[in-house]
Amino acid sequence: MADLLGRLVLRHLEHEDVDLRVDAQYDERVARNIAGHLALTPRDELLSRFREHVDDPASGRLEYVVAKPGGETVGYIFLTGLDWVNRTCDLSITMLPRFRTGLGYLALMCAFDYVYGCLNMHAVLTMVLDVNEMMASGEWNAKRANVTSTQANYTDGAFRAVHVWTQTRPEYEAMIAEGRARIAAMRERLGNGLGKEVGAR
């Protein structure tokens, strides 16, 4: 179990999580943001697949639950394409709809933190469907993408582009450092403004 940024907890998927995990796959608000074939798979088959991932870490797919510190599940992270020699993997995330706005981006950052910090990966491949409602705007995804494949996926009754990008550990660390610098600068500006206001009274 990893406590990430003091806000979210990342833990391995267990048998007691499988029913809720499969329910999420059948939620149309989730299904239209991911590859649509899972929603067409019989429930018993999906349950069997996820139980296999729980029982066999060598199945080629690592499944994690993202939860609040109190235990409430907010989403799921799974890793595929694991290359332990070259330290690379594919990362995917599924957020429960009611937690997308407040915790979606944080969950993704926490996933990167875990993959680089705990699994010692050097590069992570991420693939997102255009107009994905779970994470960010299509414009943000398109700008970040190394490759965009148009009409690569047919989901929710329409062809959609797929944005693909690779992020290395140094790139992630630089992004975090930049974010912390912006926060520090904002706090300093707010602090200076508050000091001037207090001094003027």
Side-chain angles (χ1 to χ4, degrees):
M1 179 183 292
D3 185 350
L4 302 166
L5 305 184
R7 293 278 306 278
L8 296 175
V9 173
L10 186 68
R11 61 176 177 80
H12 285 283
L13 186 80
E14 302 292 349
H15 280 289
E16 56 266 27
D17 303 309
V18 170
D19 280 321
L20 184 58
R21 178 72 174 93
V22 170
D23 287 343
Q25 296 295 140
Y26 286 111
D27 187 322
E28 65 174 343
R29 295 167 296 175
V30 172
R32 65 173 173 254
N33 290 282
I34 58 178
H37 67 277
L38 289 178
L40 302 176
T41 304
R43 182 180 178 83
D44 287 346
E45 185 177 334
L46 268 188
L47 288 169
S48 178
R49 285 189 197 178
F50 283 110
R51 287 171 183 150
E52 178 185 346
H53 298 319
V54 172
D55 292 331
D56 183 13
S59 66
R61 179 179 174 121
L62 297 179
E63 285 271 350
Y64 301 90
V65 175
V66 185
K68 293 181 179 181
E72 184 179 10
T73 296
V74 302
Y76 305 93
I77 289 166
F78 54 99
L79 307 178
T80 55
L82 293 147
D83 183 343
W84 296 108
V85 175
N86 295 301
R87 317 306 296 184
T88 64
C89 69
D90 299 356
L91 184 151
S92 300
I93 183 169
T94 297
M95 294 297 294
L96 298 182
R98 65 183 179 277
F99 296 115
R100 288 175 185 168
T101 302
L103 296 175
Y105 182 75
L106 179 62
L108 183 61
M109 292 300 101
C110 289
F112 285 134
D113 193 56
Y114 173 76
V115 168
Y116 293 124
C118 298
L119 298 185
N120 193 32
M121 291 293 172
H122 299 324
V124 178
L125 180 75
T126 304
M127 185 166 57
V128 180
L129 291 180
D130 196 31
V131 199
N132 185 302
E133 301 165 314
M134 291 192 288
M135 294 308 309
S137 69
E139 183 179 336
W140 186 90
N141 290 326
K143 182 179 179 181
R144 187 170 178 79
N146 300 123
V147 175
T148 294
S149 179
T150 60
Q151 296 190 336
N153 188 282
Y154 188 81
T155 302
D156 196 32
F159 284 104
R160 298 165 72 179
V162 173
H163 303 295
V164 183
W165 69 86
T166 299
Q167 179 180 256
T168 64
R169 187 204 296 258
E171 288 172 339
Y172 173 69
E173 291 172 346
M175 182 174 64
I176 292 300
E178 182 182 346
R180 287 174 176 163
R182 284 200 304 266
I183 292 172
M186 185 181 300
R187 285 176 174 167
E188 183 177 358
R189 288 196 301 271
L190 291 173
N192 289 341
L194 180 61
K196 290 177 182 178
E197 182 179 336
V198 170
R201 290 181 178 177

